Amino acid sequence: MAPFPGSTFFHKGQRSPLIAAMGKRLVTEGCGKYRTGPGPEWTDVDQQSYAAWQRKIGFKGAEANGLPGKTSWDRLQVPTASPVPGGRVASPVPRHGVTTAHGVKGPHWSLGRHTGADYAAPKGTPCVAVLSGSIVREGFDRSFGDFLVLRANGFDYWYCHLSEQTVKGGSVKAGQKIGEVGSTGNSTGPHLHFEKRPAHGGFGSDVTPTW
């Protein structure tokens, strides 16, 4: 069964195969409020469906607000959802969502803003290619630590602070494991710093990391 990913995982716009797997379990339990789906993106309908599950197992009032907690999650027994190589990938760190968004401003970043999106996860958690493409660069940087660069569709996707680089070049498929979460370089704890730049773009050319 999939471990509880934490309360901050469930927010509007979050995409993960885990959310679709949760939705299917809610439907099986007779709590699904979906007209279509469920899909991999967290929506108000997911929250309504989860609230129905919480009420089913005896939660009341604010405890049945539709936001998963560990107790209700463990009782739902959501199966582990893994991406299939070559298929649609919802996150570069499967079953984990964004913990620090792109563009957040702050004095502790050299440009005064966050140039990527962070995915906090335990050291050794697999990182996967979000698109089919090629690993065009790998190495170590004082700030980014051990990193890999995936080039696909005219953009470079940087995977930073890795503990392991499991692919060191060549073609990869979407969903294929290419590294593992770490805390190398300038990092305060294990996470993936995921950055998107135009192909060959330098530091500071980052754009919103969609794919």
Side-chain angles (χ1 to χ4, degrees), residues 148-167:
L148 291 170
V149 179
L150 166 69
R151 183 165 296 160
N153 298 342
F155 288 94
D156 286 343
Y157 296 86
W158 288 64
Y159 291 71
C160 306
H161 305 307
L162 299 173
S163 60
E164 295 287 342
Q165 302 150 314
T166 53
V167 175

Side-chain angles (χ1 to χ4, degrees), residues 41-117:
E41 182 169 349
W42 177 262
T43 66
D44 291 341
V45 181
D46 289 294
Q47 188 166 347
Q48 293 164 15
S49 301
Y50 202 90
W53 164 247
Q54 290 168 322
R55 291 191 294 270
K56 180 178 179 178
I57 61 175
F59 287 17
K60 297 178 180 179
E63 291 183 336
N65 62 4
L67 297 176
K70 189 175 187 310
T71 299
S72 58
W73 180 268
D74 288 348
R75 288 186 63 177
L76 187 57
Q77 296 187 314
V78 178
T80 299
S82 299
V84 177
R88 174 70 171 84
V89 176
S91 169
V93 186
R95 298 178 294 283
H96 292 80
V98 174
T99 49
T100 303
H102 172 257
V104 173
K105 291 180 171 55
H108 42 288
W109 291 299
S110 60
L111 295 181
R113 61 176 175 80
H114 193 218
T115 57

Side-chain angles (χ1 to χ4, degrees), residues 92-96 119-128 162-164 177-182 190-192:
V93 186
R95 298 178 294 283
H96 292 80
Y119 294 77
K123 180 181 177 181
T125 301
C127 300
V128 302
L162 299 173
S163 60
E164 295 287 342
K177 179 181 175 182
I178 60 174
E180 295 181 0
V181 169
H191 70 283
L192 174 71

